[in-house]
Amino acid sequence: PVYNSCRNRHCPRCQTEARRKWVLERAEELLPVPYFHAVFTIPLQLRPFALRNKKAFYSLLFRSVNETLQQLAGTSRYLGASIGFIAVLHTWGQNLMDHPHIHCIIPAGGLSRSGKNWISCKNFFLFPFGPMKKLFLSKVLDYFRKGLGDGSISLTGNLTKYSNNSELNKLFNTLYKAKWVIYVKQPFSSPLRVIQYLGNYTHRVALSESRLIHHDDKGVVFTYKDYADDTKRKKMRLDAVEFIRRFLLHALPKGFMRIRHYGFLSNGTRKRNRERCEKIFTSIKKKTTDKPAVNQRLSWHERIEKETGVNPLLCKKCQKAIMVVLHELYPKPKKGLACITDP
């Protein structure tokens, strides 16, 4: 539906309309390839620096993610192509505490150096976690150290103790040994699933109205997922002052863009590269259709996934493992399924 927007970015109705418009625009840019979903996070020790230096720290976080993915993609050992992706900054966790991390939606492949061919990811695999984690870690800490040196990252409040070189060296030693979490999900089943998923991560605030249960003079009650307890949904009550404090932790600097496009999807070259991709995939499709068709009967789970976009073999409990057929029972065939977990 079309209506006159009140142009308030905090209005739920306007957020829904803006998200719908943004998704429709992005849907036109989807490529006929699988997509990866990657998440880059930082250790707890860096969160106070990010909170007090939002513009500088979030910018270096975006830069580190972009350079990590582009550098690995440009290496012939991994892909040898120029990739493009959309990155979205999130600063909150389920309990509304500060938890800055970046979500990336990445096509499974990229343009060759000449820009005339499409190079697909090998075996539907993006990049090895080891090199990706080490490269991202080193870039974040390198830019963080430079920010401290040139003053773009200031030391205020409880952070003034790091003005001492010995304390700062201890911090960096801890950061190099800390747990840096990088998560890459398997390719989505269809481009449509990509844009639907991405739409949920763009125009939204730290707490949606659907999670609010009750509010009174004593405070606010809302639901959250406890990832430490098997992602169980629980209730949390906060007094009004604490609730407002946590909510305002996620207010971004004026004019800061938390949705960014990189590589061949960047704003400056997107139109030209989109035309290139259209020519490449049209050529590939023509070559494929020119070949004699081979009748292949799809399995039951392939037919369901093709129609619904949902893989029925995905384990409903862990949402990661894939169910596989172990054996068939005769005379009345029955497929036995088992959950094979990722080591």
Side-chain angles (χ1 to χ4, degrees):
V2 179
Y3 55 86
N4 293 327
S5 172
C6 65
R7 300 185 183 277
N8 183 354
R9 62 190 180 95
H10 297 296
C11 170
R13 190 180 183 186
C14 292
Q15 289 174 358
T16 301
E17 178 65 15
R19 179 168 60 247
R20 185 186 70 86
K21 180 181 178 182
W22 190 86
V23 167
L24 290 175
E25 291 174 351
R26 298 290 82 76
E28 297 179 357
E29 301 169 359
L30 283 175
L31 302 175
V33 297
Y35 279 72
F36 292 98
H37 171 214
V39 183
F40 294 82
T41 67
I42 59 174
L44 287 168
Q45 294 85 347
L46 282 176
R47 294 181 187 178
F49 296 91
L51 190 60
R52 291 165 175 81
N53 303 273
K54 291 183 178 181
K55 186 174 182 179
F57 198 94
Y58 295 157
S59 295
L60 77 83
L61 197 58
F62 270 117
R63 184 176 180 181
S64 299
V65 169
N66 178 40
E67 292 184 1
T68 296
L69 293 176
Q70 295 291 355
Q71 187 171 329
L72 291 174
T75 305
S76 300
R77 178 182 178 185
Y78 301 126
L79 185 62
S82 172
I83 64 171
F85 63 95
I86 301 174
V88 182
L89 172 69
H90 267 196
T91 61
W92 57 83
Q94 284 284 310
N95 59 2
L96 295 186
M97 291 300 292
D98 53 317
H99 175 45
H101 55 283
I102 291 182
H103 292 262
C104 299
I105 301 297
I106 313 166
L111 290 171
S112 63
R113 292 181 176 88
S114 63
K116 298 180 180 180
N117 299 300
W118 178 264
I119 301 177
S120 300
C121 291
K122 302 173 183 177
N123 301 321
F124 295 103
F125 183 71
L126 189 57
F127 308 123
F129 287 103
M132 186 158 54
K133 175 181 175 181
K134 291 180 180 178
L135 189 57
F136 175 67
L137 177 157
S138 62
K139 287 186 177 295
V140 170
L141 294 186
D142 182 52
Y143 289 129
F144 177 55
R145 189 184 292 274
K146 290 179 179 178
L148 292 173
D150 60 24
S152 60
I153 296 179
S154 59
L155 300 176
T156 58
N158 296 332
L159 303 180
T160 53
K161 65 178 182 179
Y162 294 110
S163 299
N164 186 297
N165 288 332
S166 61
E167 290 293 332
L168 188 60
N169 290 333
K170 289 180 182 178
L171 173 64
F172 274 93
N173 291 334
T174 303
L175 290 172
Y176 277 110
K177 298 176 183 178
K179 184 178 182 181
W180 293 68
V181 178
I182 295 178
Y183 172 77
V184 180
K185 190 177 181 180
Q186 291 296 320
F188 288 88
S189 57
S190 68
L192 180 60
R193 286 282 307 279
V194 178
I195 204 64
Q196 290 173 344
Y197 181 87
L198 187 59
N200 294 329
Y201 276 86
T202 52
H203 301 74
R204 57 184 287 189
V205 292
L207 184 69
S208 61
E209 286 189 346
S210 60
R211 290 174 56 193
L212 289 171
I213 299 178
H214 177 69
H215 65 88
D216 52 28
D217 295 339
K218 296 181 180 179
V220 180
V221 181
F222 61 93
T223 62
Y224 73 100
K225 289 181 182 179
D226 189 352
Y227 291 103
D229 189 12
D230 198 24
T231 65
K232 292 182 180 178
R233 188 169 289 278
K234 300 180 180 180
K235 296 180 181 179
M236 178 177 291
R237 174 181 284 274
L238 298 175
D239 62 72
V241 175
E242 176 61 15
F243 177 80
I244 294 173
R245 186 191 75 84
R246 292 195 186 188
F247 192 84
L248 292 180
L249 290 177
H250 315 293
L252 295 177
K254 186 177 181 180
F256 189 87
M257 303 297 296
R258 66 185 188 92
I259 304 174
R260 304 191 182 190
H261 299 71
Y262 291 102
F264 64 76
L265 292 178
S266 60
N267 294 330
T269 60
R270 187 188 310 166
K271 183 177 180 181
R272 182 173 70 253
N273 288 325
R274 181 184 171 188
E275 294 174 353
R276 287 180 179 177
C277 291
E278 287 179 353
K279 291 180 180 179
I280 292 172
F281 288 111
T282 300
S283 176
I284 294 175
K285 184 177 180 180
K286 185 177 180 181
K287 291 179 181 178
T288 304
T289 52
D290 288 343
K291 295 180 180 179
V294 179
N295 294 327
Q296 293 182 349
R297 185 178 180 182
L298 298 176
S299 62
W300 64 272
H301 56 86
E302 289 175 334
R303 293 198 300 272
I304 292 176
E305 185 172 2
K306 183 178 180 181
E307 293 293 327
T308 65
V310 178
N311 187 353
L313 298 183
L314 189 68
C315 179
K316 295 182 179 180
K317 184 176 181 181
C318 68
Q319 292 295 316
K320 294 180 181 180
I322 299 296
M323 313 286 277
V324 297
V325 178
L326 290 182
H327 58 274
E328 295 183 356
L329 300 179
Y330 296 97
K332 186 177 180 180
K334 183 177 180 181
K335 296 184 178 180
L337 302 176
C339 178
I340 307 300
T341 57
D342 188 17

